[in-house]
Amino acid sequence: MNNDTDVVCKLCEELSVDMAQSVVNSWFTDLEVESFANDRLVLHSPADFKRDVISSKYVPALSRAAKHIFGRDIDVSIAQVGGVKSRQPVRRGPEQRRYSFDEFVVGESNKYAYSAASAVAKSPGKAYNPLFLYGGSGLGKTHLLHAIKDSVRRNNPGLVVLAVTAEAFTGELATAIQTKTTKDFKERYRTPDLLLIDDIQFIARSEFSQEEIFHTFNAMYDAQNQIVITSDRPPRELQAIENRLRTRFEWGLITDISPPDFETRIAIIQSKSQRLGLILPREVIELAAESITTNVRQIEGMVNKLKAERDLMGKSIDVEMAGKAIADLMRENPGFNPTPMYILEEVCKFYNLEPSQITGKSRKGDIVRVRQIAMYLIRTMTSMSLENIGHRIFLRDHTTVLHAVKKVEEHKEHNPAFNNDIKAIIENIKGN
Ligand code: ADP
Ligand code: MG
């Protein structure tokens, strides 16, 4: 990355992974870098009205994007006044994306998903319809979704292709209802040759969206237009989604992506480092592949971090330096190796409670349940002993912690919705 335009380009590219391209185009492509030093990035938006909106709404998303790009925390802010040197607005095309089939490293854990996605990209509407891809966070679902989209756009310029996250779909639908433009909305979503919906689990939050997706699905399916859906879990576990919709998701091909095995992690690290022009000794690659096991996004973060360290220190990377960099990364990203207090905070955030309520004396049913969840997660996600969890955090006996662990395990088994909550909290803790 050698100039400011590149920084903005990269940010937009990163943002467009999770946001509708229309949102990225309207809010972020004309951003300018006012300054970037000591991990503080100050951005400026030339339009007055955008500045406030970006400041109040999008700084966290920009920070996440910057962190992903630079592999470390970047303090992002929006300059309130003044402007910077004017420059040409940046144009970005799909060809600049890094989410292509070529860049996808195939291994045991993702080969079925990969071949299904390539088959769909080759003959949309004919291979598998719908294609339903699911798997944990950071395993390449969005990557494959964009790879399908870009490949179809490139090879079949005549086809209408539309990609959206379920969240953006819900948001756009709400706006369409408010502005009485649902007719246009329906037209837009029910007619493309290829419709890709990322993270479908999020439509569970809105009945309107479910209804709308149902009709969209039917229209698309009947016309033999291709539908691709990604989700963090299989259709049968999408508890909050209506039955009729869930069964439709099962009409085509369902395929999962699991965390990469050691060999695949090695291949991913090699591929990512080569792209960055990094030469890593074998021992460093192995160390990295052993340290970060469940999430490709984190593997990328680590490779970026190694590059940043190399550039800062101007020397090649050896095991000692890599070991330190990985340890730093784990410290900076609590989710790599969460502390008990961090887990407690995440549990509280999920249930909208204060840690003091959980560690306090209350015996109210709701609080007791959440306390048990916190105990369970601390026990299963850290190496802290039952005694220490009890005494140091909850001022309770170790038998209480043991009881909590059993209760939560039982409850998870019998109650899928509860099980999903636990999974969601774990994802939050891991920082996904
Ligand atoms: P998900 O949507 O499943 O949460 P993403 O598709 O956003 O995950 O992937 C996270 C990051 O990891 C992306 O930058 C993506 O390019 C990268 N990635 C995931 N799987 C692979 C893979 N098999 N090969 C190369 N890069 C991958
Ligand atoms: Mg994704």
Side-chain angles (χ1 to χ4, degrees):
M1 208 157 315
N2 35 34
N3 61 36
D4 294 350
T5 314
D6 275 359
V7 173
V8 175
C9 264
K10 281 269 177 198
L11 283 172
C12 289
E13 198 179 298
E14 198 57 48
L15 289 170
S16 66
V17 173
D18 294 320
M19 282 179 198
Q21 194 64 46
S22 55
V23 176
V24 176
N25 290 345
S26 42
W27 293 101
F28 306 109
T29 43
D30 58 355
L31 279 175
E32 294 163 351
V33 175
E34 178 135 316
S35 65
F36 187 20
N38 302 327
D39 290 348
R40 292 177 54 102
L41 172 62
V42 183
L43 297 165
H44 177 259
S45 172
D48 291 342
F49 77 99
K50 288 192 196 173
R51 238 166 274 152
D52 289 340
V53 177
I54 299 175
S55 301
S56 62
K57 234 180 115 180
Y58 290 116
V59 169
L62 284 163
S63 306
R64 271 197 304 277
K67 178 168 183 176
H68 196 197
I69 295 165
F70 297 99
R72 57 185 194 272
D73 284 318
I74 304 287
D75 177 9
V76 179
S77 56
I78 308 299
Q80 283 310 319
V81 284
V84 281
K85 56 246 165 189
S86 70
R87 61 171 173 74
Q88 290 299 312
V90 188
R91 295 267 162 265
R92 263 161 291 271
E95 65 285 353
Q96 288 169 7
R97 278 192 175 283
R98 59 196 161 90
Y99 287 178
S100 63
F101 284 118
D102 286 346
E103 297 213 10
F104 194 82
V105 177
V106 184
E108 262 324 292
S109 59
N110 58 28
K111 64 180 184 195
Y112 295 113
Y114 176 85
S115 13
S118 344
V120 164
K122 281 206 188 81
S123 34
K126 302 201 178 69
Y128 311 107
N129 204 14
L131 172 62
F132 192 100
L133 287 177
Y134 74 90
S137 182
L139 298 182
K141 302 182 297 292
T142 299
H143 186 132
L144 286 177
L145 182 133
H146 285 289
I148 299 173
K149 179 190 77 176
D150 293 344
S151 151
V152 170
R153 279 202 180 139
R154 208 174 30 251
N155 299 327
N156 315 67
L159 297 187
V160 179
V161 177
L162 189 59
V164 67
T165 63
E167 250 177 331
F169 182 93
T170 304
E172 282 179 39
L173 176 63
T175 311
I177 293 171
Q178 271 167 18
T179 56
K180 304 206 164 53
T181 52
T182 46
K183 193 161 164 288
D184 296 343
F185 180 89
K186 289 180 177 154
E187 173 73 20
R188 193 162 119 77
Y189 280 103
R190 294 183 190 180
T191 54
D193 299 287
L194 167 62
L195 174 65
L196 310 102
I197 307 178
D198 204 6
D199 287 324
I200 197 80
Q201 72 273 8
F202 289 123
I203 60 156
R205 294 183 195 150
S206 153
E207 266 174 44
F208 279 122
S209 299
Q210 293 202 28
E211 176 80 17
E212 193 52 40
I213 296 248
F214 178 73
H215 294 296
T216 303
F217 186 102
N218 291 342
M220 291 284 293
Y221 189 85
D222 291 344
Q224 295 183 1
N225 292 335
Q226 178 72 48
I227 308 158
V228 176
I229 295 167
T230 74
S231 164
D232 66 349
R233 61 198 86 157
R236 74 188 126 80
E237 284 180 26
L238 286 166
Q239 293 302 328
I241 288 183
E242 305 168 33
N243 233 337
R244 55 176 189 168
L245 196 48
R246 228 184 307 149
T247 49
R248 273 168 175 71
F249 293 161
E250 292 171 344
W251 282 357
L253 181 73
I254 303 175
T255 170
D256 74 317
I257 309 188
S258 26
D261 54 32
F262 184 71
E263 288 311 317
T264 313
R265 297 201 299 276
I266 298 257
I268 291 172
I269 295 165
Q270 277 168 334
S271 153
K272 304 278 169 195
S273 51
Q274 269 162 19
R275 276 181 197 283
L276 293 175
L278 268 188
I279 299 166
L280 300 179
R282 181 76 195 178
E283 309 87 83
V284 167
I285 296 181
E286 283 179 6
L287 175 70
E290 273 158 17
S291 316
I292 297 174
T293 53
T294 56
N295 183 320
V296 182
R297 188 174 295 123
Q298 293 177 345
I299 294 180
E300 279 183 345
M302 188 201 46
V303 175
N304 288 340
K305 170 94 181 174
L306 290 177
K307 176 166 173 0
E309 294 282 311
R310 182 200 66 173
D311 292 350
L312 283 176
M313 321 222 285
K315 57 178 186 187
S316 62
I317 298 164
D318 57 21
V319 175
E320 193 192 348
M321 184 264 236
K324 281 204 194 105
I326 293 170
D328 276 357
L329 194 65
M330 296 202 170
R331 228 183 355 263
E332 289 159 15
N333 297 273
F336 279 34
N337 212 351
T339 62
M341 290 323 278
Y342 184 73
I343 295 174
L344 180 64
E345 280 166 21
E346 284 297 324
V347 172
C348 289
K349 242 191 252 164
F350 191 87
Y351 291 104
N352 231 337
L353 292 166
E354 290 298 320
S356 57
Q357 293 175 276
I358 302 303
T359 54
K361 292 214 166 75
S362 170
R363 303 184 54 108
K364 266 172 52 193
D366 290 354
I367 304 248
V368 172
R369 170 61 52 80
V370 177
R371 183 180 297 136
Q372 289 178 334
I373 293 171
M375 289 177 170
Y376 165 82
L377 288 174
I378 294 172
R379 176 63 183 157
T380 50
M381 296 183 80
T382 72
S383 52
M384 203 175 205
S385 67
L386 292 171
E387 278 78 13
N388 281 338
I389 297 174
H391 293 143
R392 295 221 196 137
I393 302 178
F394 296 95
L395 306 176
R396 283 167 171 83
D397 205 47
H398 77 274
T399 52
T400 313
V401 184
L402 190 59
H403 176 72
V405 172
K406 281 202 188 125
K407 273 273 173 239
V408 172
E409 272 168 359
E410 271 170 30
H411 205 57
K412 261 173 49 166
E413 196 159 312
H414 298 116
N415 184 338
F418 178 77
N419 191 23
N420 284 337
D421 283 354
I422 300 287
K423 279 194 195 157
I425 300 170
I426 293 175
E427 292 284 299
N428 292 346
I429 293 170
K430 289 187 181 160
N432 293 325

